[in-house]
C-alpha cells in the first residue's frame, strides 16, 4: 500500500474505502466493483465474516432461517449454496461467506489484519484519509463503514479482570484456537442471547458451570433441524417470491413459518377466543418459537395483549425447569416478551436441570469484583473459577463507529457529534460527514430486520447516490440537517408508540453506562424505511441531501 506522499491535488488512491468484510462489506465490494468503482476493503480480522468471524463461541448460531439469512442479490449464489441446517451454526455461516468471497473473487481487494483507527475528511480535496493501526494512510472519495452493528465488545465495569489468573474470554472475540472447558469450573457473566446459546452447548463438557444472571430474558425454542431436502427445494423454487415478501414485511425478515411463506398477522389478540389464541401460540411455538412474536398485530403495542403471551411463556418455562425456585429466577419480571431482544434457545432452560449447572442471581447480590481465582459477590460469597466468560454484549449500533476517530467538516468528531445521541439520515449518513456512508448501522432497521437484506438495499442505494453525484458533476454529499432531524424524530416517535422503551435493553442503549437512552434501530419496518429512502430521491434528484459541486 502506498505511503501518503501524494500532493493534495493528486487523485485519491481509491474511489471507495469500505471498512469491514462481513455480510455488508463483501456485498459493498462486489457491487461497487461491478459499478466500475475502484474499491478496497480494510478488515481487522485475518479473514472475511465480520460477526461470524469473531463470534466463534460454542453454540453460536443464526436465528433467522439460513435460507433467508443469505445474499439475495444473486440467484446463482442462492441456488448453488446448500445449507446443512435450518438455522446454521457459526462455522457454516463463515464457510458460506468464505465461499462467496472466493466465488466473486473478492479477496484480491481486501486488506486483512488491517484495523482502521481514524478517518479524516479533507474539505478542500473532498476526500477521506484513513489511517490504519500499523500507520499506513489511504485516501478515497467515499468511505463506507460496514463495521458491524454488534462488533464493539462491551466489558462490564467490574474491578479486577486483570487480576484473574484463570482463562478470561469475551464471547464476541472468542479465541481462534478455542478454549478447553473439559472438566473445568466455568463462570459465565450475562444472560443474553449469547449465553442462551453457549450454556447448553458447553454444560456437558464442563466440570461445573455457573451462570451469573442479572436480568433474565424471554427465550424461545428454535426447533432447529438438518435441512429437509424437500423444504430446501421448495424454497429455492419460490425464492423470488420469498425475497419480495422479505422486503415488504413489517418486522424482522422472517417469512417462513411452518414451512410456509407467511407475513406477521394483523389480527389483534382479543379478536380471537382464548382457545384460538392458545392454538396459535402453540403452533408457532412448536415450529420456531421466535415466530410467536408475529402471532398477533398488537403484542408490542397493547400491554394486556402482551400479558397473554407472557402467561403462555411463563407456563412453558415452569414446565421445563425442575426446580421451581430456579424457574422463577429465569422468568423475566421487569420487561414484557419481545421488548428486549428475544433469545432463541435449544436446551438452555433444560440445562438448569443438570447437576453441574447453577444459576446465581447477581441482581440481588451483584458481582463486587473479579479475584485471582474467580469472583466475589457483594455479600462476600466467593466463586472459584478456572475459566471466566464475559457474555456481556456490545456497544450496539454506534460503538463500531465511535471507537474510530472519525472527523468530518471543520474537524468535528463523530463521537462528539453523537455524544447526546446518534444523528443520522436513514441510518446511512450523518450531517457534517460528507461522502461517508454507514451500512447496517444505528437508526436503520438493522436490529429489527435481516442484516444481509438491509445491507443489500443500502449498498444499491449508495451506488445510486454516487451515480447521481457523477451525473450532476458533484463532488460531495451529506444530508440536510432538516432531513436528519426529521429522521431522528421519526425513529424515536416510532419506538415511543410501542412497549419497547419500557425495557432497559441494548435496543434502547441502556446496556452501556453513560450511553444516551435512544433506540438504536428503526422499528418502523423495512417497508416503511424503504418507502422513505425512495422518497429522498425526488424525481431522480436527491431531495434530502446537500450536493457540493
Ligand atoms: P446482551 O444481550 O447485551 O447481554 C449481555 C448480558 O450481560 C446481559 O445479561 C447483561 O445483564 C449482562 N451484564 C452486563 N454487565 C453485567 C454486570 N456488571 N453484571 C452482571 N451481568 C452483566 O449480549 P449478548 O448476549 O452477547 O447478545 C447481544 C446481541 O447479539 C443479541 O441480543 C443478538 O441481537 C445478537 N446475538 C444474536 C444471536 C443469534 O441470532 N443467533 C446470538 C447471540 C447474540 P443485564 O441484562 O442486566 O444488563
Amino acid at each position: 500500500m502506498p505511503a501518503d506522499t501524494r500532493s493534495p491535488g493528486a487523485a485519491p488512491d481509491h474511489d471507495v474505502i469500505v471498512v469491514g468484510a462481513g455480510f455488508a462489506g463483501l456485498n459493498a465490494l462486489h457491487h461497487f466493483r461491478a459499478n466500475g468503482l475502484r474499491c478496497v476493503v480494510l478488515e481487522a480480522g485475518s479473514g472475511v465474516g465480520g460477526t461470524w468471524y469473531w463470534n466463534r463461541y460454542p453454540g453460536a448460531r443464526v436465528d433467522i432461517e439460513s435460507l433467508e439469512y443469505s445474499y439475495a442479490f444473486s440467484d446463482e449464489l442462492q441456488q448453488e449454496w446448500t445449507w446443512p441446517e435450518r438455522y446454521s451454526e457459526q462455522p457454516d455461516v463463515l464457510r458460506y461467506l468464505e465461499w462467496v468471497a472466493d466465488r466473486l473473487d473478492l479477496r484480491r481487494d481486501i486488506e486483512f489484519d488491517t484495523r482502521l483507527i481514524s478517518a479524516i475528511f479533507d474539505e478542500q480535496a473532498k476526500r477521506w484519509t484513513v489511517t490504519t493501526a500499523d500507520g499506513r494512510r489511504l485516501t478515497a472519495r467515499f468511505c463506507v463503514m460496514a463495521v458491524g452493528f454488534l462488533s464493539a465488545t462491551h466489558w462490564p465495569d467490574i474491578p479486577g479482570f486483570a487480576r484473574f489468573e484463570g482463562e478470561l474470554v469475551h464471547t464476541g472475540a472468542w479465541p481462534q484456537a478455542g478454549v478447553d472447558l473439559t472438566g473445568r469450573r466455568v463462570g459465565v457473566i450475562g444472560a443474553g442471547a449469547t449465553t442462551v446459546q453457549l450454556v447448553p452447548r458447553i454444560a456437558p463438557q464442563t466440570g461445573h458451570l455457573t451462570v451469573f444472571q442479572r436480568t433474565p430474558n424471554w427465550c424461545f425454542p428454535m426447533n432447529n433441524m438438518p435441512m429437509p431436502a424437500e423444504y430446501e427445494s421448495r424454497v429455492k423454487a419460490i425464492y423470488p417470491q420469498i425475497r419480495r415478501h422479505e422486503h415488504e414485511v413489517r418486522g424482522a425478515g422472517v417469512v417462513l413459518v411452518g414451512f410456509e411463506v407467511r407475513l406477521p398477522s394483523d389480527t389483534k389478540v382479543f379478536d380471537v377466543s382464548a382457545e384460538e389464541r392458545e392454538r396459535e401460540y402453540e403452533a408457532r411455538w412448536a415450529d420456531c418459537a421466535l415466530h410467536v412474536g408475529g402471532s398477533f398485530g398488537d403484542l408490542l403495542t397493547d400491554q394486556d395483549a402482551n400479558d397473554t403471551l407472557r402467561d403462555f411463556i411463563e407456563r412453558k418455562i415452569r414446565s421445563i425447569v425442575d426446580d421451581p425456585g430456579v424457574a422463577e429466577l429465569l422468568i423475566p419480571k421487569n420487561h414484557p416478551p419481545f421488548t428486549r431482544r428475544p433469545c432463541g434457545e435449544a436446551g438452555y432452560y433444560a440445562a438448569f436441570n443438570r447437576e453441574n449447572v447453577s444459576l446465581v442471581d447477581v441482581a440481588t447480590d451483584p458481582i463486587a469484583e473479579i479475584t485471582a481465582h474467580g469472583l466475589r459477590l457483594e455479600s462476600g460469597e466467593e466463586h472459584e473459577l478456572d475459566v471466566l466468560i464475559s457474555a456481556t454484549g456490545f456497544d450496539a449500533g454506534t460503538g463500531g463507529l465511535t471507537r474510530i476517530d472519525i472527523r468530518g467538516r471543520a474537524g468535528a468528531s463523530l463521537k462528539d457529534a453523537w455524544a447526546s445521541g446518534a444523528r443520522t439520515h436513514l441510518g446511512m449518513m450523518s450531517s457534517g460527514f460528507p461522502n461517508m456512508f454507514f451500512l447496517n448501522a444505528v437508526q436503520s432497521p438493522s436490529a429489527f430486520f435481516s442484516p444481509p437484506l438491509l445491507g443489500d438495499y443500502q449498498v444499491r442505494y449508495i451506488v445510486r447516490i454516487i451515480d447521481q453525484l457523477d451525473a450532476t458533476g458533484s463532488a460531495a454529499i451529506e444530508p440536510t440537517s432538516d432531513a436528519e432531524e426529521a429522521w431522528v424524530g421519526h425513529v424515536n416517535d416510532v419506538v415511543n408508540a410501542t412497549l419497547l422503551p419500557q425495557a432497559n435493553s441494548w435496543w434502547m442503549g441502556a446496556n452501556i453506562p453513560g450511553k444516551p437512552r435512544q433506540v438504536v434501530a428503526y422499528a418502523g419496518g423495512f417497508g416503511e424505511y424503504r418507502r422513505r429512502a425512495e422518497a429522498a430521491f425526488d424525481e431522480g434528484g436527491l431531495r434530502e441531501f446537500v450536493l457540493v459541486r
Side-chain angles (χ1 to χ4, degrees):
M1 197 177 294
D4 189 34
T5 53
R6 297 158 303 271
S7 69
D13 302 326
H14 306 278
D15 294 321
V16 192
I17 291 171
V18 176
V19 187
F23 258 104
L26 294 178
N27 189 330
L29 173 58
H30 173 64
H31 281 97
F32 293 161
R33 225 163 56 176
N35 281 275
L37 294 163
R38 292 173 305 126
C39 186
V40 67
V41 178
L42 308 182
E43 167 54 55
S46 304
V48 300
T51 286
W52 300 101
Y53 174 88
W54 297 105
N55 285 268
R56 293 163 186 261
Y57 62 86
R61 186 182 292 283
V62 62
D63 63 6
I64 296 175
E65 302 226 10
S66 286
L67 283 162
E68 298 191 270
Y69 191 86
S70 50
Y71 289 123
F73 63 77
S74 156
D75 196 46
E76 225 171 297
L77 290 184
Q78 67 186 8
Q79 295 295 338
E80 206 174 311
W81 182 257
T82 300
W83 292 105
E85 291 179 283
R86 189 177 173 200
Y87 300 95
S88 293
E89 268 200 302
Q90 173 270 337
D92 288 322
V93 184
L94 186 59
R95 213 160 44 81
Y96 166 75
L97 289 169
E98 287 169 345
W99 171 76
V100 171
D102 290 334
R103 191 74 167 54
L104 302 178
D105 188 22
L106 300 178
R107 290 179 202 268
R108 67 182 154 92
D109 287 321
I110 306 175
E111 303 265 351
F112 292 107
D113 301 306
T114 302
R115 184 174 287 280
L116 185 75
I117 53 167
S118 73
I120 316 280
F121 187 65
D122 177 337
E123 274 186 87
Q124 290 295 299
K126 308 273 183 298
R127 65 162 67 150
W128 286 92
T129 300
V130 307
T131 304
T132 64
D134 56 3
R136 293 178 296 165
R137 286 211 254 171
L138 300 87
T139 56
R141 189 171 162 211
F142 302 101
C143 209
V144 174
M145 308 300 284
V147 294
F149 194 81
L150 293 162
S151 57
T153 49
H154 169 62
W155 285 89
D157 192 12
I158 302 170
F161 278 113
R163 223 177 288 149
F164 186 58
E165 289 174 7
E167 203 161 348
L168 178 64
V169 285
H170 192 293
T171 46
W174 196 261
Q176 295 245 5
V179 183
D180 184 11
L181 303 171
T182 317
R184 299 174 85 186
R185 296 164 302 176
V186 178
V188 180
I189 304 177
T194 298
T195 296
V196 169
Q197 292 187 328
L198 177 77
V199 162
R201 177 57 69 88
I202 64 174
Q205 230 182 308
T206 58
H208 194 90
L209 176 60
T210 310
V211 177
F212 298 94
Q213 168 194 278
R214 192 165 61 183
T215 314
N217 287 290
W218 298 99
C219 306
F220 301 82
M222 293 298 297
N223 192 19
N224 189 30
M225 60 182 74
M227 182 67 75
E230 187 214 345
Y231 175 53
E232 182 178 7
S233 45
R234 214 164 86 217
V235 169
K236 285 186 171 178
I238 56 164
Y239 246 138
Q241 184 198 342
I242 289 174
R243 298 304 195 187
R244 214 171 32 252
H245 279 315
E246 283 166 346
H247 284 77
E248 285 159 13
V249 287
R250 264 197 324 253
V254 177
V255 292
L256 300 167
V257 178
F259 294 167
E260 296 294 338
V261 176
R262 249 166 83 178
L263 300 182
S265 170
D266 281 329
T267 306
K268 295 200 164 142
V269 161
F270 296 110
D271 286 350
V272 302
S273 67
E275 294 72 28
E276 218 174 305
R277 197 155 57 232
E278 187 82 1
R279 265 200 308 279
E280 180 67 15
Y281 288 154
E282 282 288 2
R284 293 191 182 236
W285 191 266
D287 175 44
C288 164
L290 283 170
H291 295 163
V292 89
S295 323
F296 296 97
D298 53 350
L299 285 173
L300 272 183
T301 50
D302 181 332
Q303 185 67 65
D304 292 340
N306 189 291
D307 284 346
T308 65
L309 180 59
R310 169 193 283 271
D311 171 67
F312 175 83
I313 311 172
E314 283 189 6
R315 280 184 274 130
K316 290 288 183 194
I317 298 172
R318 292 193 181 104
S319 74
I320 304 170
V321 180
D322 294 342
D323 181 327
V326 175
E328 271 329 291
L329 268 183
L330 288 167
I331 293 174
K333 305 291 187 297
N334 64 1
H335 66 277
F338 290 100
T339 57
R340 286 176 137 218
R341 168 62 155 82
C343 305
E345 75 115 15
Y348 179 66
Y349 288 131
F352 292 98
N353 295 337
R354 296 178 61 94
E355 289 285 311
N356 71 332
V357 177
S358 35
L359 182 67
V360 174
D361 174 17
V362 295
T364 49
D365 190 1
I367 303 170
E369 62 169 341
I370 311 297
T371 62
H373 303 291
L375 57 78
R376 197 175 53 74
L377 306 182
E378 277 186 4
S379 63
E381 187 176 301
E382 303 249 4
H383 290 266
E384 294 213 341
L385 302 166
D386 304 310
V387 182
L388 178 55
I389 300 173
S390 193
T392 46
F394 305 89
D395 182 354
T398 50
L401 295 167
T402 53
R403 288 182 187 186
I404 298 168
D405 184 15
I406 297 173
R407 291 177 187 270
R409 275 193 288 111
S413 109
L414 186 79
K415 189 175 172 195
D416 292 347
W418 289 4
S420 50
R423 304 190 58 77
T424 73
H425 188 33
L426 297 162
M428 264 194 282
M429 293 197 83
S430 191
S431 174
F433 299 85
N435 289 7
M436 174 169 277
F437 299 95
F438 315 126
L439 294 176
N440 271 327
V442 64
Q443 292 170 352
S444 75
S446 49
F448 303 133
F449 190 53
S450 180
L453 302 174
L454 174 65
D456 212 19
Y457 175 74
Q458 292 183 323
V459 164
R460 289 151 194 264
Y461 194 83
I462 294 167
V463 168
R464 284 163 64 197
I465 287 184
I466 294 176
D467 282 351
Q468 191 71 18
L469 287 183
D470 290 345
T472 55
S474 305
I477 180 168
E478 63 180 286
T480 65
S481 39
D482 283 354
E484 184 171 279
E485 198 164 319
W487 179 251
V488 175
H490 174 62
V491 169
N492 293 333
D493 289 349
V494 166
V495 81
N496 287 336
T498 72
L499 303 177
L500 300 194
Q502 281 192 21
N504 283 326
S505 65
W506 66 257
W507 277 351
M508 294 303 300
N511 63 326
I512 304 295
K515 187 167 175 167
R517 193 177 177 93
Q518 179 193 37
V519 67
V520 292
Y522 175 56
F526 180 73
E528 181 61 14
Y529 175 78
R530 197 179 51 166
R531 197 188 65 69
R532 286 174 182 259
E534 291 305 317
F537 269 97
D538 186 23
E539 291 168 7
L542 282 161
R543 191 160 49 95
E544 297 171 7
F545 298 86
V546 183
L547 274 61
V548 180
R549 280 170 200 270

